[in-house]
Amino acid sequence: MIKFLDMISEEVKSAFEAAGYDRELGKVTLSNRPDLCEYQCNGAMAGAKLYKKAPIMIANDVAEKCKESNIFSEVTAVAPGFLNFRISDAVIARFLNEMAADDKFGLAMPENPLKIIIDYGGPNVAKPLHVGHLRSAVIGESIKRITRYAGHDVIGDIHLGDFGLQMGLVITEMQCRQPELVYFDENYTGEYPEEAPFTLSELEEIYPTASAKSKEDESYKERALEATYKLQMGQPGHRALWKHIMNVSLPDLKRNYENLSVEFDLWKGESDVHDIVPGMAQQMKDGGFAYMSEGALVVDVKEESDSKEIPPCMILKSDGAALYTTTDLATILERMEQYHPDKMIYLTDKRQELHFEQVFRCARKTGLVDADTQLMHIGFGTVNGKDGKPFKTRDGGVMRLESLITEIKEEMYRKITDNREVEEAEARATADIVALSAIKYGDLSNQAAKDYIFDIDKFTSFEGDTGPYILYTIVRIKSILNKYKEKEGKQIAELSVNDMTNASEKALMLELVKFNAMMENACEESAPHKVCAYIYDLANAFNHFYHETKILTEEDEKKKEGFIALLNLTKDILETCIDVLGFAAPERM
Ligand code: ARG
């Protein structure tokens, strides 16, 4: 379906042409004076120079031609040469009814859908998830859903950090505590036990203890590095222990992400590409790209045009160990072989910018990707506390994601049960749903690259630019629609929006018509915050309309049906938008 603004521009362009001017002058924008008009065109001002004519004369000529079109209800040329427009109610109603009849509400599907891999989440197995992992998961999930809604073929990959130092640390700490375990007997050749030598809660204690020790004790750290190396090289006891760590941690990670409504198509990790690293390194050497420098294997990635120093990309350390860059490159190689994506999008903290710049350049230079494969890193800012410093617990520790979520759920529960009689189980279930909207909207409504303040009071408020406010609006609409259904017993889907509008109804309609252009843009720019900004405006427009209008008590049956159809479309659009943001609305609140 055409975009509403394009439809108007087309009309105004034709008017410019019909009046004897360049049609390209007819570009229309939203009005920045909504008190005067709905849309405006400044083309006559630009045309003045071109045609050596007073802009108002051009504007008058074009306005005359516009009056022949039936899409405008009002066209005015105002000094010094602006063109102001109001759109006919019938045109808007027709557009909305077409939207309502379309699966994607008028969003055009791409002729050639792209295959896109989104690499997000990126938790490190055995380390607890902390608030820093929240953003990657929440933003990545939303970009995946937006891109998928827009018709592309999208694969989400969690890309576990599952082969690094944290594993060596856990193994070393286990060896300190229980040196008699068969995993540490280098001569052992039998089967290893099925049962892990630790539980999840033990594991949750082992890693932080080991990590703290390694910071104080140099030789402990050496041993952990050695253990990591042995694990990577395939030492059977270490591999067996590693399997246990994976088996104990993964179900917990899955549960955590499920609670956040974050779903991955692939649960691959750094360990999956370990075996293809030597071949890849060889290929880079054979191609003349990789060379030895101070014992390490590196590829130069600096370019003439660089304004800052881009160090060489390290492929292998002097002991032959793989690095973070190495596994990322090998993963690109594997993805190209298995999926041949047109595009790969990575979501991490923006402090990893240089890492991805090096990896992308190296992948291009060494031919791991095609010339037209798009590689994109979306670096996000820090989650801060109210003091503007990275978010911490009250006593200054790292905030675990689970604790943070629990805190928000409790706060939501408190707000929902405040001054109200709600059944415990229902209140809990609702609080969980609303809490998710508070967390996700609080994050997604900010441009990803910016830092933001995690403000629990603000995020959980039912008023203002928040998730709960959006859900509250949806629940309000659902309740009206349900009452209508009960009373009138009519099929809501069969009703259509009509063109007998009042001002607040028209304002709501003019928000709705923006949907396809907004979604297309949010997809192109991988920008969930644009969806947030849109639904905030839409919810405001709806609530304004709601307060000004008697809906269910409207006596004119036809008019009431039009209202109901409009409400239904508003609800569908809001729900579609929150779905791509990664949360849902409850039935009641
Ligand atoms: N595990 C990494 C971390 O915690 C993030 C992984 C991001 N994805 C990637 N392909 N490098 O920093």
Side-chain angles (χ1 to χ4, degrees):
M1 225 172 116
I2 193 168
K3 284 170 268 180
F4 199 72
L5 204 52
D6 288 350
M7 180 181 87
I8 304 170
S9 278
E10 275 312 305
E11 210 69 10
V12 177
K13 282 178 178 175
S14 300
F16 266 88
E17 194 170 53
Y21 303 105
D22 182 1
R23 61 180 284 123
E24 290 318 307
L25 293 169
K27 200 173 164 321
V28 172
T29 58
L30 279 181
S31 159
N32 48 26
R33 285 289 304 275
D35 52 327
L36 295 182
C37 60
E38 292 154 0
Y39 296 89
Q40 67 185 55
C41 170
N42 300 345
M45 313 285 282
K49 265 211 192 99
L50 210 62
Y51 297 101
K52 302 205 168 46
K53 241 187 184 179
I56 190 69
M57 291 171 71
I58 300 179
N60 278 327
D61 292 348
V62 176
E64 266 325 295
K65 295 290 174 194
C66 283
K67 283 177 188 152
E68 289 165 21
S69 155
N70 62 4
I71 83 167
F72 304 108
S73 60
E74 192 184 310
V75 183
T76 40
V78 265
F82 297 114
L83 280 158
N84 292 349
F85 306 102
R86 287 188 198 280
I87 308 300
S88 116
D89 294 355
V91 167
I92 303 172
R94 196 180 336 122
F95 192 90
L96 291 178
N97 287 323
E98 267 175 50
M99 254 176 91
D102 184 279
D103 284 352
K104 295 272 166 114
F105 306 106
L107 177 65
M109 291 297 104
E111 240 167 77
N112 301 307
L114 298 178
K115 177 169 280 181
I116 302 176
I117 295 186
I118 307 192
D119 177 316
Y120 68 108
N124 298 314
V125 178
K127 289 194 197 177
L129 290 171
H130 57 78
V131 347
H133 289 109
L134 180 70
R135 297 210 76 186
S136 181
V138 168
I139 303 171
E141 179 71 18
S142 178
I143 294 178
K144 181 188 77 181
R145 292 184 185 207
I146 290 171
T147 317
R148 202 171 263 170
Y149 184 81
H152 297 289
D153 178 5
V154 191
I155 302 169
D157 183 2
I158 189 167
H159 197 77
L160 297 166
D162 61 358
F163 230 37
L165 181 60
Q166 84 272 31
M167 295 297 185
L169 283 164
V170 172
I171 294 171
T172 304
E173 184 56 23
M174 282 303 292
Q175 191 163 16
C176 280
R177 294 182 188 191
Q178 291 173 269
E180 73 287 355
L181 292 178
V182 291
Y183 308 99
F184 308 116
D185 177 355
E186 307 236 335
N187 301 316
Y188 183 75
T189 51
E191 294 272 309
Y192 289 98
E194 296 255 320
E195 184 100 3
F198 39 67
T199 62
L200 178 64
S201 53
E202 281 162 353
L203 191 59
E204 284 180 343
E205 175 269 322
I206 296 171
Y207 170 73
T209 308
S211 165
K213 274 193 189 172
S214 75
K215 282 179 189 128
E216 272 158 23
D217 181 346
E218 204 37 53
S219 78
Y220 187 94
K221 169 128 192 234
E222 281 302 315
R223 278 159 62 205
L225 283 166
E226 169 81 19
T228 311
Y229 183 69
K230 279 192 188 158
L231 163 70
Q232 292 182 353
M233 291 305 145
Q235 209 270 325
H238 283 40
R239 284 282 172 109
L241 205 45
W242 172 81
K243 272 239 142 58
H244 287 312
I245 304 175
M246 295 292 279
N247 289 340
V248 169
S249 302
L250 286 187
D252 183 54
L253 272 178
K254 292 205 164 142
R255 187 183 56 80
N256 269 293
Y257 283 112
E258 239 168 61
N259 284 338
L260 279 172
S261 295
V262 171
E263 297 145 16
F264 301 97
D265 305 295
L266 300 176
W267 280 76
K268 295 212 175 201
E270 296 175 344
S271 65
D272 287 297
V273 293
H274 181 76
D275 294 345
I276 63 172
V277 167
M280 179 184 78
Q282 191 58 46
Q283 212 180 308
M284 290 181 176
K285 273 193 258 180
D286 294 346
F289 301 114
Y291 65 94
M292 297 304 288
S293 166
E294 297 170 35
L297 186 68
V298 303
V299 171
D300 280 331
V301 291
K302 62 173 191 284
E303 286 165 11
E304 289 269 332
S305 55
D306 288 342
S307 55
K308 61 174 196 288
E309 170 90 17
I310 308 283
C313 188
M314 272 242 244
I315 309 297
L316 295 173
K317 285 202 283 191
S318 48
D319 62 3
L323 298 114
Y324 186 43
T325 36
T326 323
T327 49
D328 263 332
L329 287 163
T331 304
I332 291 178
L333 175 66
E334 192 195 61
R335 285 177 183 160
M336 289 305 287
E337 273 170 7
Q338 291 186 354
Y339 304 100
H340 210 92
D342 301 293
K343 183 171 182 178
M344 289 178 240
I345 304 178
Y346 296 77
L347 280 122
T348 74
D349 189 305
K350 66 182 169 203
R351 283 170 293 191
Q352 294 194 24
E353 219 152 72
L354 177 61
H355 163 78
F356 283 103
E357 183 69 53
Q358 290 174 302
V359 168
F360 294 169
R361 286 185 183 192
C362 184
R364 265 197 212 293
K365 181 170 178 179
T366 60
L368 293 184
V369 293
D370 300 339
D372 59 356
T373 311
Q374 301 175 55
L375 298 169
M376 176 178 187
H377 173 232
I378 300 180
F380 48 77
T382 312
V383 181
N384 288 327
K386 274 189 182 164
D387 57 0
K389 299 206 185 93
F391 199 87
K392 292 266 157 60
T393 55
R394 280 194 198 88
D395 50 13
V398 176
M399 183 59 125
R400 288 186 55 163
L401 192 54
E402 261 193 295
S403 330
L404 182 74
I405 294 172
T406 310
E407 214 171 297
I408 303 253
K409 283 183 177 173
E410 283 306 317
E411 179 61 18
M412 239 32 271
Y413 177 77
R414 208 182 55 68
K415 287 206 167 124
I416 285 175
T417 48
D418 227 13
N419 308 321
R420 252 181 309 177
E421 287 292 320
V422 197
E423 205 199 312
E424 165 80 13
E426 191 192 336
R428 287 279 167 204
T430 308
D432 288 1
I433 298 175
V434 186
L436 193 62
S437 80
I439 298 171
K440 289 195 166 185
Y441 191 94
D443 188 311
L444 294 170
S445 54
N446 300 284
Q447 222 170 308
K450 296 211 171 115
D451 299 348
Y452 74 88
I453 291 180
F454 200 96
D455 183 339
I456 298 186
D457 291 337
K458 183 176 146 205
F459 288 5
T460 58
S461 169
F462 288 106
E463 278 152 42
D465 192 5
T466 70
Y469 169 67
I470 304 292
L471 297 195
Y472 195 78
T473 306
I474 295 175
V475 168
R476 171 176 274 167
I477 301 177
K478 282 187 184 177
S479 133
I480 303 171
L481 292 176
N482 285 338
K483 281 191 197 131
Y484 179 82
K485 261 188 264 177
E486 272 166 32
K487 237 176 63 197
E488 316 272 334
K490 279 197 187 143
Q491 284 296 86
I492 291 180
E494 279 159 19
L495 305 179
S496 42
V497 174
N498 64 38
D499 55 12
M500 299 180 264
T501 66
N502 61 45
S504 65
E505 185 182 14
K506 192 169 187 191
L508 171 60
M509 291 170 147
L510 287 175
E511 283 303 326
L512 285 167
V513 298
K514 294 177 187 164
F515 174 79
N516 59 357
M518 178 288 295
M519 195 60 95
E520 184 180 294
N521 181 248
C523 175
E524 263 165 20
E525 299 188 3
S526 303
H529 72 276
K530 300 219 163 165
V531 180
C532 293
Y534 173 69
I535 56 176
Y536 181 51
D537 286 347
L538 182 57
N540 281 336
F542 169 76
N543 285 311
H544 189 218
F545 163 69
Y546 169 81
H547 289 298
E548 304 256 297
T549 318
K550 291 201 199 85
I551 299 172
L552 290 174
T553 51
E554 170 60 50
E555 278 163 15
D556 180 333
E557 207 43 47
K558 189 88 192 64
K559 213 165 166 179
K560 175 151 71 176
E561 288 181 2
F563 288 157
I564 294 296
L566 184 63
L567 258 62
N568 197 41
L569 181 59
T570 307
K571 175 192 67 101
D572 286 347
I573 294 286
L574 286 172
E575 287 202 306
T576 298
C577 288
I578 63 171
D579 185 57
V580 299
L581 294 174
F583 54 92
E587 282 311 304
R588 291 192 290 174
M589 225 161 128

